[in-house]
Amino acid sequence: MRPSLCFSRTLPRQLPWHLAAAAVARQSSPLAPLASFSTSSPRTTSRAIVADFRSDTLTQPTDEMFAIMRDASRGDDVYEEDDAVKTLEAHVATLTSHEAGLFCASGTMTNQLAFRASLLTPPASILCDRRSHVYQYEAGGLASHSNLTVYPVQATTNQGHHLTVQDLEREFIVDDGDVHMAPTRLISLENTLDGTVMPLQEVQAIRQFAKERNVSLHLDGARIWNATVAQGCDLRDYTSQFDTVSLCVSKGIGAPIGSVLVGDKTLIKKARHFRKMFGGGWRQAGGLAAAAHWCIDHIWPTMKDTHALAKYLAEGLEREAQGVKVYIPVETNMVFLDLAGSGIRLSELSKRLETEKSIKIGNSNAPETQTQVRLVLHWQISKQAVKDFIAVARDMTLTAPKPGNVSTPTIRGHVYNSR
């Protein structure tokens, strides 16, 4: 016997799933900070975290999302028979001005599927920013899955803010018959990158550069949603410049899981084949797709407020916590702090925030020499949590010993090892 599910709301069963889900959203209370969510488990014994600044992947699904997932379609996505998945894929494809979409488990998967489905035959190489996720944090997938040589490019203009055509020209390998080289076949950009936005004008210039050289252009758009909000432009203004785009829905968008790859129909068909080969075919994924669709419609519009809160945090820390510096411009939802001039130890700041205010930033075991940390804001971080953060840092600087630390970058891997 199928176990019963107890929910206080009933949905109008005569409606299609996506309209019924929207009815739930309309009946729901307004979006609330994390502390008010009813998502706790009876097995939880540790103190509840009020705000988690480690990553925007750490948002928690709400009761509204679970209600929508409950009433979503339940077809088999491997057979392409689930309405919610197909609706999400078509919706994102339309938003981005591409022919088709493919819903997958993660941004790493959609990035790697884009490269593999491009069917580049070795010897071939890819150009990308040396800071990019596809180079730093995808477990060597470019070499393993697609046999591509990676040439990471250092951004040298605009104070290293973003790659330019001049940077790419410097590293581009022409297919001129030199058997010692792996010609450039693909350029991958990331927007946002470290929370900063690549200007649309620069993307358009790189699109022209790639087109003239018959090279594919991919966008790791895990946070392209943030970039468009920051720039005040339409999503398709950016995404239409690329052959393939990976759009994560589990970061700033706030969905429980997932990422959508968009491109032309031929490439997406091939990517679906490779997804199965990678072991990424999923069956009844409708609930996850329905939640992602709801989040795009309801949480994406809140990003402007999140960006404003990130600036409020950065300005408050620099103003009130003596010696704390922000070393990367705050353009979206990320704040990069350097504590070297404050006398505060990162590990102690982490422990004090969690103990006194139930705020998590990770790095509680950071070595004494580590002075830099990344903070990521999202829709479930309240202004009160930000005020509490500033207050703790301010109080610590008042009693900290005279600073003697030298600014030390975080070690590679800090983004995913900041427990």
Side-chain angles (χ1 to χ4, degrees):
M1 178 181 295
R2 180 183 173 188
S4 62
L5 298 174
C6 298
F7 287 82
S8 60
R9 298 187 185 92
T10 57
L11 291 176
R13 296 292 178 180
Q14 70 272 21
L15 294 177
W17 73 266
H18 59 290
L19 296 180
V24 168
R26 285 193 297 271
Q27 296 173 30
S28 304
S29 58
L31 300 182
L34 180 59
S36 66
F37 292 164
S38 300
T39 54
S40 59
S41 164
R43 294 186 297 274
T44 300
T45 57
S46 59
R47 184 177 180 181
I49 296 298
V50 170
D52 198 327
F53 286 81
R54 290 177 296 168
S55 175
D56 45 7
T57 62
L58 293 165
T59 56
Q60 294 186 10
T62 65
D63 291 342
E64 288 76 19
M65 294 181 200
F66 279 115
I68 288 167
M69 288 188 278
R70 177 201 66 178
D71 288 275
S73 53
R74 304 180 186 184
D76 190 306
D77 180 50
V78 173
Y79 285 97
E80 299 181 54
E81 294 177 353
D82 186 81
D83 290 339
V85 172
K86 290 191 290 185
T87 300
L88 173 67
E89 291 170 343
H91 181 53
V92 176
T94 298
L95 287 174
T96 57
S97 289
H98 282 271
E99 291 182 356
L102 181 66
F103 184 44
C104 299
S106 71
T108 294
M109 180 175 285
T110 46
N111 280 330
Q112 294 302 320
L113 285 173
F115 302 137
R116 189 67 188 90
S118 295
L119 299 177
L120 302 175
T121 304
S125 64
I126 175 176
L127 296 181
C128 63
D129 194 299
R130 62 180 295 275
R131 302 165 292 178
S132 65
H133 196 277
V134 299
Y135 175 61
Q136 295 274 10
Y137 301 117
E138 296 191 6
L142 280 161
S144 178
H145 297 308
S146 300
N147 297 319
L148 292 174
T149 298
V150 183
Y151 288 100
V153 181
Q154 174 70 52
T156 58
T157 55
N158 303 300
Q159 291 77 50
H161 182 274
H162 59 269
L163 289 181
T164 64
V165 169
Q166 289 73 27
D167 294 321
L168 295 169
E169 280 182 321
R170 186 178 66 248
E171 303 293 342
F172 193 91
I173 300 176
V174 179
D175 188 5
D176 58 2
D178 186 343
V179 297
H180 301 90
M181 308 302 292
T184 302
R185 300 295 188 196
L186 190 147
I187 297 170
S188 178
L189 304 180
E190 184 172 337
N191 201 10
T192 64
L193 178 58
D194 287 345
T196 62
V197 181
M198 177 176 282
L200 179 58
Q201 184 177 3
E202 194 64 58
V203 172
Q204 292 169 333
I206 293 173
R207 167 78 272 179
Q208 185 62 31
F209 173 82
K211 184 177 180 180
E212 290 171 355
R213 289 154 181 78
N214 195 30
V215 169
S216 298
L217 190 61
H218 171 71
L219 173 64
D220 178 356
R223 296 183 176 90
I224 188 63
W225 316 94
N226 298 84
T228 59
V229 169
Q231 291 287 289
C233 64
D234 195 280
L235 181 63
R236 60 174 54 90
D237 292 341
Y238 271 108
T239 55
S240 62
Q241 303 296 319
F242 296 86
D243 299 293
T244 52
V245 183
S246 166
L247 302 99
C248 189
V249 294
S250 67
K251 292 185 171 68
I253 291 296
I257 189 174
S259 184
V260 180
L261 173 66
V262 296
D264 64 45
K265 291 180 180 178
T266 300
L267 184 138
I268 293 300
K269 181 178 180 180
K270 182 57 65 176
R272 186 180 297 275
H273 196 167
F274 281 120
R275 184 186 69 171
K276 181 63 175 173
M277 188 181 78
F278 286 1
W282 45 8
R283 299 294 179 175
Q284 287 71 37
L288 297 173
H293 198 149
W294 185 88
C295 289
I296 291 171
D297 291 345
H298 292 82
I299 298 177
W300 187 17
T302 71
M303 280 187 182
K304 186 176 181 179
D305 295 333
T306 299
H307 296 175
L309 199 56
K311 290 183 179 180
Y312 180 88
L313 173 62
E315 292 170 358
L317 286 169
E318 288 200 313
R319 181 180 63 252
E320 299 189 32
Q322 185 178 7
V324 174
K325 299 298 180 184
V326 175
Y327 65 94
I328 292 179
V330 179
E331 298 178 9
T332 55
N333 66 324
M334 293 187 186
V335 179
F336 287 80
L337 295 183
D338 195 333
L339 307 176
S342 69
I344 301 176
R345 290 186 181 180
L346 176 56
S347 59
E348 289 304 312
L349 175 62
S350 174
K351 292 171 185 175
R352 287 274 297 270
L353 285 169
E354 188 163 352
T355 300
E356 297 177 16
K357 300 296 183 181
S358 298
I359 291 173
K360 201 171 186 70
I361 64 169
N363 292 286
S364 60
N365 296 317
E368 184 176 345
T369 55
Q370 184 179 332
T371 64
Q372 295 181 354
V373 62
R374 182 192 79 162
L375 308 174
V376 188
L377 282 78
H378 48 76
W379 76 287
Q380 289 180 346
I381 288 181
S382 67
K383 190 167 187 178
Q384 185 58 54
V386 170
K387 289 181 176 179
D388 289 343
F389 193 123
I390 295 170
V392 170
R394 179 194 62 222
D395 292 347
M396 290 183 70
T397 59
L398 293 176
T399 59
K402 290 184 178 180
N405 289 340
V406 175
S407 178
T408 305
T410 49
I411 58 173
R412 178 173 292 179
H414 72 284
V415 173
Y416 299 103
N417 294 327
S418 54
R419 296 187 183 277

